[in-house]
């Protein structure tokens, strides 16, 4: 059974906003009590939060679909709906959030770091909030907005100071087990380590973490073996430690060649060129291993590597290695800019929701209105209520949509589409749609919508001609 998962695809959906309520206050001896419909509640957000107690993405591997709760609708007597409850998803430290195209949305490092993966929908206004001097008793309310739904990819990159890399069975797991309190699986066959192991090492006053990455082989950067799957776990490490086997039983291998192959795989993976390297010659407790270490050490030192001869079994050379790593890590930490105390800073997202554009779509023969505010208004409009549609027309006119349509060359009866192309609302434009209270009839009605729709009729005529031509073609039999 899988116990370690470092990459999952997560489908998150924020809660929908609750609908506003259209209600009229009713009380004995007060026939004109006025509107008292409450607003709908806000939909819940989906938020990712770093928790250092979480070490794997296994939970989301088994349950990849997560949804926050919806906001409750408003009610009469000016009662607002309850807000939806936010859904908090805890992820390991070092989790990277990507979209479906592979673009990084957030890099979550540090306890408590948060990222809003899905924004909850706004609640709709009730008719009490929509009333004005011109519209004293609205017979409609605004609908709640749908919550944001998206597919994201979570990738875990281990947050460690030291990464042990090398061929399978080079002794990396044995080395981390004696340097720290980690208890990885150790056996005498390749690919014993199937997941990264993490340990904590104390050397004097320095405490650092060390990661054991599954063994690399030629072609690892292209996906051969387990290398590519876990190479991301060395990206955050401050120093790379090459663990070389000086007592390998394979006649076609030697430590120097192993080092060159692993370095080539790291180079092809990219992004690790600036990390300091240390070479560890392991298994020197074996006579042949010590002899081979004495032969290749001068060559490695000529290349500029700092070389240590160790034995995880005999506990040889471990103290020198741990203190050398502590010194390199101390220098790396000192070179980093000093982190200031975390302060709560509110930075509202700059949204120019008043802006919009008008573009003519020649293929669909409609004018498309694109903008945050008009699209939101369309989503919140109940098109089964004529008064609500008339209210939308008034709002669009006040925003300046009518003026831009005129400048774009639109004429009375032309089609206008607002919203996403696959789910846009299309209507026939009639100029000077602004109206006062004298244009309103009974609640829920708007006399302006009773006029004929010439653009819709033209589209129906074109469709009828196409259907007639298709029928004649199907009935035609040349033989």
């Amino acid at each position: 059974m899988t116990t370690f998962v470092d990459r999952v695809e997560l489908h998150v959906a924020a809660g929908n906003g609750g609908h506003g309520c259209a209600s009229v206050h009713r009380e004995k001896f007060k026939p004109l009590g006025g509107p008292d419909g409450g607003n709908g509640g806000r939909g819940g957000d989906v938020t990712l939060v770093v928790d250092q107690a979480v070490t794997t993405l296994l939970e989301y591997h088994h349950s990849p679909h997560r949804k926050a709760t919806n906001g409750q609708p408003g009610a009469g007597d000016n009662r607002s709906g309850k807000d939806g409850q936010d859904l908090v998803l805890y992820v390991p430290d070092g989790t990277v959030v990507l979209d479906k195209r592979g673009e990084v949305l957030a890099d979550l490092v540090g306890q408590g770091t948060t990222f809003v993966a899905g924004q909850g929908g706004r609640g709709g206004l009730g008719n009490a909030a929509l009333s004005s001097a011109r519209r004293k008793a609205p017979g409609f309310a605004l609908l709640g907005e749908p919550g944001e739904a998206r597919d994201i990819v979570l990738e875990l990159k281990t947050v460690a100071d030291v990464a042990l890399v090398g061929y399978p069975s080079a002794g990396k797991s044995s080395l981390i087990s004696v340097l720290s309190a980690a208890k990885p699986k150790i056996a005498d066959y390749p690919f014993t380590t199937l997941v990264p192991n993490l340990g904590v090492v104390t050397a004097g006053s320095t405490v650092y973490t060390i990661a054991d990455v599954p063994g690399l082989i030629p072609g690892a950067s292209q996906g051969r073996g387990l290398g590519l799957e876990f190479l991301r776990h060395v990206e955050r490490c401050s120093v790379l430690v090459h663990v070389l086997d000086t007592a390998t039983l394979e006649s076609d291998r030697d430590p120097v060649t192993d080092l060159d192959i692993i370095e080539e795989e790291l180079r092809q993976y990219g992004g690790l060129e600036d990390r300091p390297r240390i070479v560890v010659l392991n298994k020197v407790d074996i006579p042949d291993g010590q002899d081979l270490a004495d032969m290749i050490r001068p060559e490695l030192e000529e290349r500029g590597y700092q070389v240590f001869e160790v034995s995880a079994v005999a506990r040889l050379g471990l103290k020198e290695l741990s203190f050398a790593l502590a010194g390199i890590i101390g220098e790396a930490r000192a070179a980093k800019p000093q982190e200031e105390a975390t302060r709560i800073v509110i930075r509202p997202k700059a949204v120019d929701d008043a802006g919009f554009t008008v573009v003519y779509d020649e293929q669909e023969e409609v004018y498309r209105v694109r903008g945050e505010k008009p699209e939101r208004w369309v989503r919140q409009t109940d098109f089964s209520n004529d008064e609500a549609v008339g209210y939308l027309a008034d709002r669009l006119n006040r925003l300046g949509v009518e003026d831009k349509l005129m400048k774009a060359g639109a004429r009375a009866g032309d089609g206008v589409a607002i919203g996403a192309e696959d789910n846009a609302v299309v209507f026939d434009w009639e100029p000077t749609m602004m109206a006062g209270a004298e244009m309103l009839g009974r609640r829920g009605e708007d006399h302006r919508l009773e006029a004929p729709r010439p653009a819709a009729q033209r589209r129906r005529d074109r469709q009828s001609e196409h259907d007639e031509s298709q029928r004649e073609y199907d009935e035609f039999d040349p033989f």
Side-chain angles (χ1 to χ4, degrees), residues 226-419:
L226 299 176
L228 181 62
E229 185 176 354
F230 295 109
L231 270 175
R232 72 172 71 96
H233 291 276
V234 306
E235 291 184 14
R236 303 186 191 275
C237 298
S238 301
V239 57
L240 300 178
V241 176
H242 285 282
V243 181
L244 304 181
D245 186 357
T246 61
T248 179
L249 299 178
E250 301 179 32
S251 59
D252 58 342
R253 283 179 50 199
D254 66 88
V256 177
T257 304
D258 290 354
L259 174 64
D260 294 337
I261 291 174
I262 299 302
E263 277 293 333
E264 177 62 20
E265 296 302 321
L266 295 176
R267 186 191 67 78
Q268 293 186 17
Y269 184 77
L272 302 172
E273 295 79 7
D274 60 335
R275 311 301 163 82
R277 266 79 161 166
I278 284 182
V279 174
V280 171
L281 302 178
N282 195 19
K283 305 180 183 179
V284 296
D285 57 310
I286 301 175
D288 292 342
Q290 182 62 62
D291 294 340
L292 184 57
D294 294 337
M295 292 174 56
I296 64 174
R297 179 166 185 162
E299 179 181 353
L300 295 175
E301 291 178 342
E302 288 180 2
R303 295 188 182 186
Y305 291 109
Q306 190 175 1
V307 182
F308 293 87
E309 299 178 7
V310 304
S311 170
V313 175
R315 308 282 179 113
L316 299 175
L318 300 179
K319 184 177 181 180
E320 294 82 357
L321 174 61
S322 63
F323 276 87
L325 291 174
I328 297 176
I329 293 168
E331 294 176 0
R333 291 175 179 174
K336 291 183 179 179
Q338 186 175 3
E339 296 183 0
E340 298 181 357
T342 303
R343 295 182 301 168
I344 300 176
V345 180
I346 300 177
R347 295 186 176 92
K349 184 179 179 181
V351 178
D352 184 14
D353 59 357
F356 65 93
T357 59
V358 176
V359 180
Y360 182 67
D361 189 340
E362 296 182 358
Q363 183 177 0
E364 298 293 335
E365 297 183 351
V366 296
Y367 289 87
R368 293 195 177 275
V369 179
R370 296 188 177 96
E372 174 65 25
K373 184 170 287 187
E375 291 181 10
R376 184 177 75 246
W377 289 348
V378 167
R379 289 193 298 266
Q380 292 188 308
T381 299
D382 180 8
F383 286 93
S384 64
N385 187 301
D386 290 348
E387 188 180 353
V389 178
Y391 177 70
L392 171 64
D394 293 343
R395 300 178 84 182
L396 294 175
N397 190 17
R398 288 195 298 268
L399 186 63
V401 173
E402 182 172 316
D403 294 338
K404 283 200 174 183
L405 284 172
M406 287 183 176
K407 293 179 181 179
R411 297 177 301 173
D414 287 344
V416 177
I418 302 178

Side-chain angles (χ1 to χ4, degrees), residues 78-319:
N78 293 304
R79 290 174 294 175
S80 297
K82 182 181 178 181
D83 291 342
Q85 186 175 1
D86 295 340
L87 177 61
V88 179
L89 304 178
Y90 294 100
V91 296
D93 191 6
T95 300
V96 179
V97 186
L98 306 99
D99 60 12
K100 294 288 289 183
R101 295 173 295 180
E103 297 182 2
V104 177
L105 301 176
D107 192 353
L108 306 179
V109 179
Q111 177 71 20
T113 305
T114 62
F115 171 70
V116 179
Q119 189 77 39
R122 300 186 186 185
L125 297 179
N127 65 340
L130 296 173
S131 62
S132 64
R134 293 174 50 239
R135 195 183 303 264
K136 297 184 181 297
F140 67 97
L142 297 185
L143 303 179
E145 281 192 284
E148 183 181 11
R150 67 199 309 188
D151 297 334
I152 59 176
V153 177
L154 304 182
E155 284 189 354
L156 175 58
K157 295 182 180 180
T158 301
V159 180
D161 298 303
V162 180
L164 304 181
V165 296
Y167 261 75
S169 298
K172 300 185 297 300
S173 298
S174 300
L175 190 58
I176 194 175
S177 68
V178 295
L179 286 174
S180 68
K183 302 297 180 184
K185 181 180 180 181
I186 301 174
D188 58 351
Y189 54 83
F191 297 110
T192 307
T193 302
L194 300 178
V195 299
N197 297 305
L198 199 64
V200 179
V201 182
T202 302
S205 60
T206 304
V207 179
Y208 58 91
T209 55
I210 185 169
D212 165 26
V213 180
L216 304 177
I217 59 176
S221 59
Q222 281 75 41
R224 187 181 178 192
L226 299 176
L228 181 62
E229 185 176 354
F230 295 109
L231 270 175
R232 72 172 71 96
H233 291 276
V234 306
E235 291 184 14
R236 303 186 191 275
C237 298
S238 301
V239 57
L240 300 178
V241 176
H242 285 282
V243 181
L244 304 181
D245 186 357
T246 61
T248 179
L249 299 178
E250 301 179 32
S251 59
D252 58 342
R253 283 179 50 199
D254 66 88
V256 177
T257 304
D258 290 354
L259 174 64
D260 294 337
I261 291 174
I262 299 302
E263 277 293 333
E264 177 62 20
E265 296 302 321
L266 295 176
R267 186 191 67 78
Q268 293 186 17
Y269 184 77
L272 302 172
E273 295 79 7
D274 60 335
R275 311 301 163 82
R277 266 79 161 166
I278 284 182
V279 174
V280 171
L281 302 178
N282 195 19
K283 305 180 183 179
V284 296
D285 57 310
I286 301 175
D288 292 342
Q290 182 62 62
D291 294 340
L292 184 57
D294 294 337
M295 292 174 56
I296 64 174
R297 179 166 185 162
E299 179 181 353
L300 295 175
E301 291 178 342
E302 288 180 2
R303 295 188 182 186
Y305 291 109
Q306 190 175 1
V307 182
F308 293 87
E309 299 178 7
V310 304
S311 170
V313 175
R315 308 282 179 113
L316 299 175
L318 300 179
K319 184 177 181 180

